[in-house]
Amino acid sequence: MKEQLLEEFERVFGGTEDCRVFFAPGRVNLIGEHTDYNGGHVFPCALTIGTYGVARKNGMDTCRFYSMNFSNQGVKAVNLDELVYDREEYNWANYPMGVISMLNENEVRVDEGIDLLIFGNIPNASGLSSSASLEVLTAFACRELFGFEMSLQDIALLSQKAENKFIGVNCGIMDQFAIAMGKKDNAIFLDTATLKYEYAPIKLKDAKIVITCSNKKRGLGDSKYNERRSECEDALEAIRTVKNINSLGELSESEFEEVKSVIGDETKIRRAKHAVYENMRTVRAVTALKDGDIETFGKLMNDSHLSLQKDYEVTGIELDTIVETSWKVPGVIGARMTGAGFGGCTVAIVKNENVDEYIKTVGDTYLAKIGYAADFYTVEIGNGPTEL
Ligand code: GLA
């Protein structure tokens, strides 16, 4: 892999002296969806698929970006003084641009241009965080090239800031945190209100994590994402008139039931209900996992999907078809949509001996109903960013 990347770098930019090769993973969230911007818990893990980057300082005041995944777009060059979001002009390169811009916002860290060649093997716009992976990769590569101090947790926070302020998606901290802090064979139980976290070993012995990509691109998803977020903020504001809390994540189910009527709007009640119940489900799921009770963990995954379908309304026919079909296949311990929703992927825990049957049954049903194929990935849990 490294050789191929360097060869391509040489072809695109010329020379490979001083080049360094980095990798940052993608992530899948096992449970705890749309809780991270509500001060709740999440339980994601880093994957062994992700984003590779070859980087060097180039001695100019211009950064040059090239992606092997979007080779038709050629090299994107931008002056360090002109790092301004432009969807059309810079496209995917807005992500590394955003990170460099944030690094330089307070103190100049990246004071010389870089050449950056990217190759990713995470399916794009699939909900496996290809964008957060690219952000963390860029921040990590800059730290290594320019030799400044920055913890992996701060890399996560900076990357989230790039997404919020530069790209304009009001995402929570889950994706960037899961990627920057990833640990092989472990999921991360993160309290997004305090950033306290704990690694939990995922020992599935006789089962595998199977991701199904719906191939429905998110498109409008980002604006819907911000809409859900502000619905939750409105609900919180209403509850705060009767109860002193900082986030929906502070409420138990019964506390929520007591105060929910003050929200007024029926839709917003359901949005807030999801945030509160999903947070509690996540806490219970991790306890079950620690107790070796994978069946309960799987059941909570299924409940999570139903809540995202009925109360949060971020699933859609594609994800519902995959998940509802999954539930009928023998050996499926649990299945749900993962990530923001509105398309993207599902995650299932499937007994080893049923994986082939799972892929065939879900694949055939999906194709027949939706009209195009889904893709399947049997994934491993990997580490955070690294230099190769
Ligand atoms: C996206 C966001 C995350 C999180 C999930 C939903 O992946 O980037 O911060 O909100 O959606 O759980």
Side-chain angles (χ1 to χ4, degrees):
M1 175 62 83
K2 196 171 165 182
E3 294 316 308
Q4 271 166 283
L5 294 170
L6 286 166
E7 241 170 62
E8 191 64 6
F9 188 97
E10 164 106 57
R11 193 188 66 74
V12 175
F13 294 114
T16 53
E17 225 175 281
D18 300 327
C19 274
R20 295 170 67 178
V21 185
F22 303 98
F23 172 79
R27 71 96 187 88
V28 66
N29 187 22
L30 298 178
I31 192 162
E33 216 66 81
H34 290 279
T35 48
D36 65 345
Y37 50 85
N38 285 308
H41 292 79
V42 292
F43 196 51
C45 46
L47 299 172
T48 52
I49 52 173
T51 312
Y52 294 84
V54 184
R56 72 169 172 210
K57 295 192 202 176
N58 63 18
M60 306 188 285
D61 52 12
T62 301
C63 291
R64 299 187 296 186
F65 305 109
Y66 179 86
S67 168
M68 290 166 67
N69 299 75
F70 300 104
S71 52
N72 59 330
Q73 294 184 26
V75 173
K76 312 258 180 203
V78 54
N79 193 284
L80 277 172
D81 294 331
E82 289 160 13
L83 295 168
V84 180
Y85 178 80
D86 186 328
R87 191 183 180 125
E88 296 300 311
E89 172 112 12
Y90 297 118
N91 197 275
W92 69 272
N94 282 298
Y95 294 98
M97 282 169 57
V99 168
I100 295 170
S101 159
M102 292 304 132
L103 282 169
N104 286 351
E105 198 165 68
N106 299 322
E107 49 185 297
V108 179
R109 296 176 190 270
V110 180
D111 53 2
E112 179 183 332
I114 62 166
D115 293 335
L116 179 63
L117 174 132
I118 294 293
F119 170 70
N121 54 8
I122 308 171
N124 293 315
S126 63
L128 300 180
S129 290
S130 56
S131 47
S133 175
L134 177 53
E135 288 158 359
V136 170
L137 177 100
T138 306
F140 186 80
C142 287
R143 181 184 84 171
E144 300 305 303
L145 291 183
F146 291 86
F148 53 80
E149 302 262 319
M150 189 175 255
S151 69
L152 290 172
Q153 187 162 323
D154 284 343
I155 283 182
L157 288 164
L158 180 115
S159 300
Q160 181 201 17
K161 195 165 148 203
E163 183 90 37
N164 293 166
K165 290 183 60 177
F166 195 89
I167 306 293
V169 175
N170 267 329
C171 68
I173 187 61
M174 171 170 74
D175 304 345
Q176 290 82 4
F177 198 97
I179 289 165
M181 306 293 287
K183 183 171 168 188
K184 189 174 163 34
D185 295 332
N186 282 261
I188 309 173
F189 182 43
L190 170 68
D191 179 348
T192 62
T194 58
L195 293 190
K196 272 199 178 159
Y197 65 96
E198 195 187 311
Y199 290 108
I202 304 288
K203 292 184 233 116
L204 293 174
K205 291 185 298 270
D206 59 346
K208 289 197 168 26
I209 299 175
V210 183
I211 290 176
T212 306
C213 185
S214 69
N215 287 324
K216 156 118 196 277
K217 300 286 182 227
R218 270 187 291 161
L220 269 180
D222 295 345
S223 60
K224 284 274 175 213
Y225 181 90
N226 286 348
E227 183 185 295
R228 288 295 177 280
R229 187 168 179 152
S230 60
E231 285 166 342
C232 288
E233 281 162 4
D234 290 350
L236 173 65
E237 203 179 307
I239 294 173
R240 278 164 60 87
T241 61
V242 295
K243 198 168 174 71
N244 184 18
I245 53 165
N246 295 311
S247 70
L248 294 174
E250 289 175 21
L251 296 175
S252 66
E253 291 105 330
S254 58
E255 285 169 333
F256 173 74
E257 293 301 330
E258 264 166 42
V259 296
K260 70 178 184 191
S261 62
V262 72
I263 301 169
D265 180 84
E266 185 270 337
T267 304
K268 288 179 188 166
I269 292 178
R270 282 187 292 119
R271 305 296 191 243
K273 179 181 175 202
H274 168 77
V276 171
Y277 280 62
E278 178 77 354
N279 179 44
M280 297 311 293
R281 259 193 295 276
T282 306
V283 174
R284 287 191 193 111
V286 175
T287 306
L289 191 76
K290 282 185 189 160
D291 293 344
D293 183 359
I294 188 79
E295 300 299 326
T296 298
F297 187 87
K299 185 173 174 308
L300 290 162
M301 286 176 78
N302 299 347
D303 292 347
S304 164
H305 185 85
L306 286 169
S307 176
L308 289 155
Q309 178 184 38
K310 304 240 153 32
D311 288 334
Y312 220 63
E313 294 181 289
V314 292
T315 56
I317 181 154
E318 298 83 3
L319 295 173
D320 288 336
T321 300
I322 297 170
V323 170
E324 285 164 5
T325 311
S326 302
W327 289 340
K328 294 182 199 142
V329 179
V332 172
I333 295 164
R336 57 183 288 276
M337 59 150 270
T338 184
F342 316 104
C345 287
T346 68
V347 57
I349 300 179
V350 186
K351 290 254 167 73
N352 292 338
E353 70 259 29
N354 299 101
V355 170
D356 290 345
E357 180 186 1
Y358 176 81
I359 294 175
K360 169 122 189 49
T361 309
V362 176
D364 289 352
T365 309
Y366 189 78
L367 180 61
K369 186 152 175 191
I370 305 296
Y372 51 84
D375 289 321
F376 296 85
Y377 304 85
T378 303
V379 295
E380 308 286 332
I381 302 179
N383 283 314
T386 179
E387 180 162 4
L388 302 183

